[in-house]
Amino acid sequence: MKTKVFENAAAALFDLRDGISVMSGGFGLCGIPENSIQEIRRQGIRNIHAISNNIGNSGRGLAWLLKQKQICSATCSYVGGNPDLEQQMLAGEIDVTLVPQGTFSERIRAAGMGIRGFYTPAGYGTLVAEGKEAREFDLPCILELPLVADFAIIKAEKGDPFGNLWFKETARNFSPLMAMAGKITVVEVEQLVELGEIEPENVHLPGVFVQRIYQGVDYENVIEIPVLAED
Amino acid sequence: MKTKVFENAAAALFDLRDGISVMSGGFGLCGIPENSIQEIRRQGIRNIHAISNNIGNSGRGLAWLLKQKQICSATCSYVGGNPDLEQQMLAGEIDVTLVPQGTFSERIRAAGMGIRGFYTPAGYGTLVAEGKEAREFDLPCILELPLVADFAIIKAEKGDPFGNLWFKETARNFSPLMAMAGKITVVEVEQLVELGEIEPENVHLPGVFVQRIYQGVDYENVIEIPVLAED
Amino acid sequence: MSDQPNPWTNLEMVDEVIAMLADGSSLNLGIGIPTLVAQRIPASKNVWIHSENGVLGVSGRPTRETVSPTLINAGKETISVKPGASYFDSATSFGMIRGGHIDVCILGGMQVDTEGSLANWMIPGKKVTGMGGAMDLVHGAKKIIVMLTHFAKSGEVKLLHRCTLPLTGKNVVHRIITDYGIFSPMGETFRVEKLAPGVTRDLLGPEAGMWT
Amino acid sequence: MSDQPNPWTNLEMVDEVIAMLADGSSLNLGIGIPTLVAQRIPASKNVWIHSENGVLGVSGRPTRETVSPTLINAGKETISVKPGASYFDSATSFGMIRGGHIDVCILGGMQVDTEGSLANWMIPGKKVTGMGGAMDLVHGAKKIIVMLTHFAKSGEVKLLHRCTLPLTGKNVVHRIITDYGIFSPMGETFRVEKLAPGVTRDLLGPEAGMWT
């Protein structure tokens, strides 16, 4: 019987190649697919088109790939807190497209849900609207198009062999949307559970969107800005 | 402190009036807001613009309002199995707009999510596309607009005083989308639970979309087409 | 088996469809003959059946003990689900289809033509039931299969050069299964993929040049 | 209190904002001064704080025991949540904003003008950080409040007839709180809603006709 379950990151990412587009889940360092990113670093593929809200943060996550100059272009909403990206932007070594975060998430959803374009007020009258079709509804809006990727790499708290996923707290962020938009979606999980262990009503992402899944290892789950009540 | 919790359907639906648009959740009779529909019947308001996948089925649900001639127009995807609606359609007593079901659900979501329009391939080259803007993407598509309503009436299995909802099995269908799209969303629940009783990760609809909530009573939960393994 | 045409029964049509399905694939089944697919498919194929009202992982029928008013398929019939099933809202459900995540969609039909256009929702002048999800289902699934009897009760062939009934979708069908055979719309003709026992090309319809 | 101008402190500005908030309202708080709102707001107001990375019901800070790497706000700081909180994906989170379900959005700013346009994401020639969610946040919330100091360190007033920096949103701001007062953009002028103690209109900026 055909299975989606792979042994580890290396097995699941067997067909990467130079020049692919890769969507990577996570907000800052929260919910990033650590194992898959490390595997991409290990393989050393180049000219990656990265689509991720932050393209790494604080020298971690996708910044591991930036340091090795594996990323040639980035689509994201926020580059602050990512000195590796800022440096390569200033040096003209990377082509960065900034997208408003709500438009970013909706464009990814649109790709996954087969919506070919949508009108949003976000960005109207700003640099973001340049070259885009504008149209008046109750507010003036601009036309935005779907954002797809060859691979989506995602991390979830729990996943089953069909690829049903459950995310913890705010680690969900862009991940289920990217899982919908990736042509090949590769998921790593903290816990690989049995079919049926995630209650059918509480599946956050149905497994039909997932092509490959594996049990991740050695998670660092770094807290970027710890602020505590006693501070 | 301001509360969203009402005593019953009559209390929660205190400001209905002739001519309002009403979205009603449910697929066939599965997940319909029985108490709210009965209250609208009791109040006898007229010229309702109903937005619901089926506008009742088998003489129940919104068909209770059809029988009293309370509905003047209907936006829906399927009228089969609803003799009351068919009869009023043939008699020219009700204005029915048929919308492909996926477009119907996406238009409702668009209204709730502030998307002003979207392109979908569904309906291209058919009667549905007449009078709509067509545009070529990877497939030819048509532009569809959001579908809003003055009131959304919704039923959920569990809800808390903030309006966080959890739906059972396939009773979810259009309900969370309509809750997003209604200007005033009134929810009835099988179980009104304490704040925090629905696990934060497993909230199907965050309470910010809900204006009023009440504990429903006397649910019939009729099965329309029971088919059993032993049959 | 003689020269006598021996068209397939509904169950034989269903078995022809099942033979086309890959292990582990995801399916949406339309109302009518297609629902029989769920009952005939061997467990070894491990298919995931989607119903557009918001469930993936439909299995057999419930028992008197497990039947639930909140667990139905798009035909509004009670169902049960298998381990790994999930429930979701209608926008996500149709997004699965529109976004190309369901491998195969099997629909009934009134007419289908050589351009791959399908008519299955409306006969002008007759009672209108609405298109339901059909117009969405024909866009997006990787493979659209239409199951229908080759001839209407009136004797008219349902596989045409151009549909005469209002369309459900234009250029959407990949494969057609009738009681007479399996066909693929090629633009101006149908390619004959397989014929039922004893069925010959001259039995397929009045327009001889339409079958290649 | 004398004739001497006595501009509000950050905390006094925050208290002015809190006075505008209705009981039970939902809020999105931008990075910077606005985050102080979360810490000063009385529990009796029962507000629901939204953070666009996917949480509604943000409360105070976590303790060393409860802190979680997967529970952060849009400023990437660790948070805790109150009973009734919920988590959701980013599309739903921004849909809450864009769809008009969040009552108030409180943002920081670099410049704001009499048309209600806001600039808060980019200074040409300086390091670019990206707009993050700011361009989405300014559309949809029922009320957009901008908190900023009245004058830049260079001495230039930040409330202008027309912004000179690249815009975050055009015609989007409803109310402005500076250390000098509270203002509403009226198209060609700012209506002065309230002034900090000792602040007079001639202290608000060089363009006298801009304050009505």
Side-chain angles (χ1 to χ4, degrees):
Chain A
M1 206 166 73
K2 201 181 145 190
T3 178
K4 294 181 179 179
V5 182
F6 286 73
E7 188 58 31
N8 51 34
L13 295 168
F14 64 89
D15 52 355
L16 300 182
R17 59 196 183 276
D18 288 356
I20 54 173
S21 54
V22 177
M23 271 180 188
S24 179
F27 186 94
L29 300 178
C30 180
I32 59 171
E34 298 182 21
N35 284 207
S36 287
I37 299 172
Q38 289 287 13
E39 172 61 20
I40 294 174
R41 166 154 83 166
R42 197 190 62 75
Q43 291 189 21
I45 59 159
R46 300 181 72 86
N47 292 319
I48 295 169
H49 303 272
I51 300 164
S52 178
N53 191 54
N54 309 79
I55 317 289
N57 254 61
S58 307
R60 293 172 172 275
L62 290 180
W64 293 326
L65 307 186
L66 287 168
K67 286 178 197 178
Q68 296 205 136
K69 309 267 169 90
Q70 291 178 261
I71 298 177
C72 68
S73 81
T75 302
C76 54
S77 87
Y78 196 77
V79 303
N82 188 348
D84 300 284
L85 182 56
E86 289 162 16
Q87 195 186 318
Q88 292 184 28
M89 274 175 79
L90 292 173
E93 293 171 351
I94 190 167
D95 180 25
V96 175
T97 304
L98 289 166
V99 180
Q101 201 171 117
T103 297
F104 181 75
S105 53
E106 191 69 14
R107 286 178 64 193
I108 296 167
R109 177 191 180 272
M113 300 278 98
I115 298 298
R116 268 51 176 204
F118 62 89
Y119 289 97
T120 175
Y124 175 79
T126 76
L127 293 177
V128 164
E130 283 181 9
K132 288 178 187 156
E133 180 190 312
R135 186 183 289 217
E136 190 78 26
F137 293 91
D138 62 317
L139 291 178
C141 290
I142 54 177
L143 177 62
E144 294 282 1
L145 302 178
L147 199 46
V148 296
D150 296 319
F151 285 82
I153 53 173
I154 297 303
K155 184 197 174 189
E157 181 69 17
K158 294 182 200 174
D160 71 23
F162 179 51
N164 290 312
L165 304 182
W166 189 91
F167 298 91
K168 189 177 172 193
E169 299 172 331
T170 58
R172 194 174 328 182
N173 54 66
F174 306 92
S175 296
L177 309 166
M178 289 178 170
M180 293 172 179
K183 286 181 208 158
I184 296 174
T185 291
V186 180
V187 180
E188 59 189 273
V189 290
E190 292 263 355
Q191 303 169 55
L192 189 61
V193 301
E194 297 285 309
L195 275 183
E197 209 168 303
I198 306 173
E199 201 181 2
E201 282 91 347
N202 297 338
V203 167
H204 294 162
L205 183 88
V208 76
F209 297 108
V210 172
Q211 279 68 50
R212 305 174 194 168
I213 187 165
Y214 66 91
Q215 168 72 61
V217 293
D218 301 332
Y219 284 110
E220 294 190 338
N221 292 324
V222 166
I223 294 179
E224 208 175 331
I225 309 179
V227 187
L228 300 177
E230 49 263 46
D231 292 350
Chain B
M1 205 166 77
K2 199 180 146 190
T3 177
K4 294 180 179 179
V5 181
F6 286 73
E7 188 58 31
N8 51 36
L13 294 168
F14 65 88
D15 52 355
L16 300 183
R17 57 196 186 278
D18 289 356
I20 55 174
S21 54
V22 178
M23 268 178 190
S24 180
F27 185 94
L29 299 178
C30 179
I32 60 171
E34 297 183 21
N35 285 206
S36 287
I37 298 173
Q38 288 288 13
E39 173 59 22
I40 295 174
R41 165 154 84 167
R42 197 190 62 74
Q43 292 188 21
I45 59 160
R46 299 180 73 85
N47 291 321
I48 294 169
H49 303 273
I51 301 164
S52 179
N53 191 55
N54 310 80
I55 318 289
N57 252 64
S58 308
R60 293 171 171 276
L62 290 179
W64 294 326
L65 309 185
L66 286 168
K67 287 178 196 177
Q68 295 204 138
K69 309 265 168 91
Q70 290 179 262
I71 298 177
C72 69
S73 80
T75 303
C76 54
S77 87
Y78 196 78
V79 304
N82 189 348
D84 301 283
L85 182 57
E86 287 162 18
Q87 194 186 318
Q88 292 183 30
M89 274 176 79
L90 291 173
E93 294 171 354
I94 190 166
D95 180 26
V96 175
T97 305
L98 289 166
V99 180
Q101 202 171 117
T103 297
F104 181 76
S105 53
E106 191 69 15
R107 287 179 64 193
I108 295 168
R109 177 191 180 272
M113 300 279 98
I115 297 300
R116 268 52 178 202
F118 61 90
Y119 290 97
T120 175
Y124 174 80
T126 76
L127 294 175
V128 164
E130 283 181 10
K132 289 178 187 158
E133 179 190 314
R135 185 183 291 219
E136 190 77 24
F137 294 90
D138 61 318
L139 291 178
C141 289
I142 55 178
L143 177 63
E144 294 283 0
L145 302 177
L147 199 47
V148 296
D150 296 319
F151 285 82
I153 53 174
I154 296 303
K155 185 196 174 190
E157 181 70 17
K158 295 182 199 173
D160 72 23
F162 180 51
N164 291 312
L165 304 183
W166 189 91
F167 298 90
K168 189 177 171 194
E169 298 171 331
T170 58
R172 193 176 327 182
N173 53 67
F174 306 92
S175 297
L177 309 167
M178 289 180 170
M180 294 173 178
K183 286 182 206 157
I184 297 176
T185 291
V186 180
V187 179
E188 59 190 273
V189 290
E190 293 261 355
Q191 305 170 51
L192 189 60
V193 302
E194 298 284 309
L195 275 183
E197 209 167 302
I198 307 173
E199 201 180 3
E201 282 91 346
N202 297 338
V203 168
H204 295 161
L205 183 89
V208 76
F209 296 108
V210 171
Q211 281 67 49
R212 305 173 193 170
I213 188 167
Y214 66 92
Q215 168 71 61
V217 293
D218 299 333
Y219 284 110
E220 295 190 336
N221 292 324
V222 166
I223 294 179
E224 209 176 330
I225 308 179
V227 186
L228 300 177
E230 49 263 47
D231 293 350
Chain C
M1 208 69 76
S2 70
D3 300 317
Q4 196 100 345
N6 190 13
W8 289 322
T9 62
N10 282 355
L11 286 183
E12 284 168 334
M13 285 166 65
V14 164
D15 289 342
E16 291 291 333
V17 167
I18 289 172
M20 295 179 194
L21 303 175
D23 289 0
S25 56
S26 50
L27 299 185
N28 180 288
L29 301 177
I31 302 171
I33 309 180
T35 54
L36 292 174
V37 172
Q39 292 165 40
R40 297 277 292 183
I41 201 159
S44 61
K45 282 228 173 179
N46 189 31
V47 298
W48 290 86
I49 297 175
H50 171 262
S51 198
E52 63 268 28
N53 56 314
V55 51
L56 184 69
V58 176
S59 64
R61 299 298 181 178
T63 64
R64 218 164 288 279
E65 288 67 42
T66 62
V67 68
S68 162
T70 47
L71 185 45
I72 63 171
N73 65 16
K76 303 185 185 75
E77 302 164 342
T78 50
I79 55 168
S80 66
V81 295
K82 66 178 186 175
S86 55
Y87 305 117
F88 30 83
D89 68 61
S90 301
T92 305
S93 188
F94 280 96
M96 278 183 195
I97 293 279
R98 203 192 297 106
H101 306 283
I102 300 292
D103 296 310
V104 183
C105 186
I106 307 173
L107 290 152
M110 297 170 180
Q111 293 180 339
V112 58
D113 68 26
T114 56
E115 282 194 326
S117 296
L118 171 69
N120 77 348
W121 76 283
M122 187 189 180
I123 303 175
K126 291 219 179 174
K127 199 172 74 172
V128 173
T129 59
M131 69 292 280
M135 285 191 184
D136 310 274
L137 290 167
V138 295
H139 294 281
K142 290 178 197 125
K143 193 167 193 172
I144 307 288
I145 299 176
V146 174
M147 298 180 79
L148 74 180
T149 55
H150 204 89
F151 295 96
K153 280 175 192 152
S154 64
E156 283 173 21
V157 65
K158 294 180 181 176
L159 279 65
L160 304 168
H161 188 246
R162 291 292 177 272
C163 291
T164 57
L165 293 172
L167 296 186
T168 304
K170 205 170 156 69
N171 308 333
V172 292
V173 177
H174 302 102
R175 203 59 63 94
I176 304 154
I177 320 281
T178 76
D179 41 347
Y180 277 55
I182 303 177
F183 310 94
S184 301
M186 300 303 291
E188 292 303 315
T189 58
F190 290 109
R191 187 171 65 211
V192 178
E193 306 287 352
K194 187 173 180 179
L195 290 172
V199 170
T200 53
R201 281 167 189 250
D202 55 306
L203 294 174
L204 296 175
E207 271 194 74
M210 206 165 73
W211 315 92
T212 56
Chain D
M1 205 74 70
S2 71
D3 300 318
Q4 197 100 345
N6 190 11
W8 289 322
T9 61
N10 282 355
L11 286 183
E12 285 169 331
M13 285 167 65
V14 164
D15 289 342
E16 291 290 334
V17 167
I18 288 172
M20 295 179 193
L21 303 176
D23 289 358
S25 57
S26 50
L27 299 185
N28 180 289
L29 301 177
I31 301 170
I33 308 179
T35 54
L36 293 173
V37 172
Q39 292 164 42
R40 297 277 292 184
I41 201 159
S44 62
K45 283 229 175 182
N46 189 32
V47 298
W48 291 86
I49 297 175
H50 171 261
S51 198
E52 64 269 25
N53 56 316
V55 53
L56 184 68
V58 175
S59 64
R61 298 298 181 179
T63 63
R64 218 164 288 278
E65 288 68 41
T66 62
V67 68
S68 162
T70 47
L71 185 46
I72 63 171
N73 65 16
K76 303 186 185 75
E77 301 164 342
T78 49
I79 55 169
S80 65
V81 295
K82 66 178 185 174
S86 55
Y87 307 116
F88 30 83
D89 67 61
S90 301
T92 305
S93 189
F94 280 97
M96 279 184 194
I97 293 280
R98 201 192 298 106
H101 306 284
I102 300 292
D103 296 311
V104 183
C105 184
I106 308 173
L107 290 152
M110 297 172 181
Q111 292 181 339
V112 59
D113 68 26
T114 56
E115 283 194 326
S117 296
L118 171 69
N120 77 347
W121 76 282
M122 187 189 179
I123 302 175
K126 291 219 179 175
K127 197 172 75 172
V128 173
T129 59
M131 70 292 280
M135 285 192 183
D136 310 274
L137 290 167
V138 295
H139 295 280
K142 290 178 197 127
K143 194 167 193 171
I144 305 289
I145 299 175
V146 174
M147 298 181 79
L148 73 181
T149 55
H150 205 90
F151 294 96
K153 280 176 193 152
S154 63
E156 283 173 19
V157 65
K158 295 180 183 177
L159 280 64
L160 303 169
H161 188 248
R162 291 292 175 274
C163 292
T164 57
L165 294 173
L167 296 185
T168 305
K170 206 170 155 69
N171 308 332
V172 293
V173 176
H174 301 102
R175 203 58 64 93
I176 304 153
I177 320 280
T178 76
D179 41 348
Y180 277 56
I182 303 177
F183 310 93
S184 302
M186 301 303 291
E188 292 304 315
T189 59
F190 290 109
R191 188 171 63 212
V192 178
E193 306 287 352
K194 187 173 180 178
L195 290 173
V199 171
T200 53
R201 280 166 190 252
D202 55 307
L203 295 175
L204 296 177
E207 270 194 73
M210 206 165 72
W211 315 94
T212 56

